[in-house]
Amino acid sequence: GGVSGSGSGTSTPAHAVAGDDVPHAPSSTPLRQMLADLELEHASQAPRLRHPDAIAIAELAGNNACADCQASDPLLANVRHGVLLCVACAEAHHVTLGVHVRLLQRLPDGWQPDEIARLRSAGGNARVNGVLEHLAVQVEQRPKPSKMLTASARAATADAEQRAAFARRKYERREFALSADAERNLIANRAFSRLLERMFDDHQFLLDVHAVLCRYAEIDA
């Protein structure tokens, strides 16, 4: 199936993970039913996460809102792109981009260590969108938060088509993204900043630098 979730009806769904080896898949009744069940369960109680990695991922910058439509409390994740998504956008990603989505609350069951690391290293929706939505996205271009179950069939179809079109523009064609060179520079700058932070957090490193500087000062004297 496109969505992996817990079998318990009492646990609260949260975000999910995607695999990278999935071909483009047609929409399926089981997938839509799973997503609809998640939406109903999510509406009935606030999401709860217990695993430390799940909590850490949910607390990354921007992960309190869907990466695409900005609906609050996204339930699902696309690991390939490192984003958390609402129910409707998750379905669009599965059908349009060919990725699986899974529940974050299942973590670590069914998760590979590299998947957890990949989602954490993505840095959250805010960071991903800083690259993929570097160019301003017009209000009319972005899908709007919506409930799958309350829309008419015609409205639901139009909504799904808009989400699919936006996903293609954002993730496949990267129409709103930084240029490749600018993105490489941004990644390099972030890596350098993290290196500096680690260096300055390492007191022994600072002591070693101080000792070397003192030694050279004695030689010059």
Side-chain angles (χ1 to χ4, degrees):
V3 179
S4 300
S6 87
S8 169
T10 59
S11 58
T12 308
H15 320 73
V17 188
D20 283 344
D21 57 348
V22 187
H24 287 267
S27 182
S28 62
T29 299
L31 171 64
R32 176 166 283 277
Q33 184 59 53
M34 171 68 82
L35 294 174
D37 290 345
L38 288 175
E39 187 174 44
L40 282 175
E41 193 172 347
H42 181 244
S44 67
Q45 57 188 48
R48 290 193 304 271
L49 298 173
R50 295 181 176 84
H51 192 276
D53 282 323
I55 293 171
I57 290 168
E59 291 179 348
L60 290 171
N63 279 359
N64 61 330
C66 174
D68 289 359
C69 75
Q70 300 179 346
S72 61
D73 299 322
L75 297 173
L76 303 158
N78 168 347
V79 170
R80 181 187 298 180
H81 298 105
V83 294
L84 298 188
L85 303 162
C86 71
V87 170
C89 289
E91 183 178 30
H93 279 229
H94 174 70
V95 175
T96 305
L97 305 178
V99 297
H100 281 316
V101 290
R102 291 190 285 164
L103 292 173
L104 189 62
Q105 76 165 29
R106 279 181 56 95
L107 194 153
D109 295 340
W111 287 65
Q112 297 299 318
D114 64 311
E115 293 177 325
I116 299 171
R118 186 169 183 175
L119 198 55
R120 292 191 66 164
S121 66
N125 289 353
R127 176 179 287 183
V128 174
N129 282 347
V131 174
L132 295 181
E133 294 187 8
H134 179 70
L135 303 178
V137 177
Q138 301 301 316
V139 173
E140 63 273 12
Q141 295 173 319
R142 185 184 298 280
K144 297 176 176 58
S146 67
K147 296 292 184 182
M148 294 168 59
L149 302 182
T150 57
S152 66
R154 179 176 296 180
T157 298
D159 179 75
E161 290 173 351
Q162 183 187 17
R163 290 176 198 278
F166 183 76
R168 291 191 191 96
R169 296 183 69 183
K170 178 177 175 179
Y171 299 95
E172 288 188 341
R173 299 200 291 268
R174 297 172 63 90
E175 292 182 15
F176 314 113
L178 284 168
S179 67
D181 288 342
E183 183 176 356
R184 279 193 293 269
N185 289 337
L186 181 63
I187 292 171
N189 288 336
R190 284 175 177 166
F192 184 65
S193 296
R194 287 195 296 270
L195 176 61
L196 288 178
E197 288 173 3
R198 285 198 296 270
M199 287 167 56
F200 284 105
D201 285 341
D202 186 340
H203 297 296
Q204 185 58 51
F205 173 80
L206 293 177
L207 290 174
D208 291 342
V209 170
H210 181 263
V212 170
L213 293 175
C214 289
R215 192 173 304 124
Y216 276 105
E218 291 172 1
I219 293 173
D220 290 343

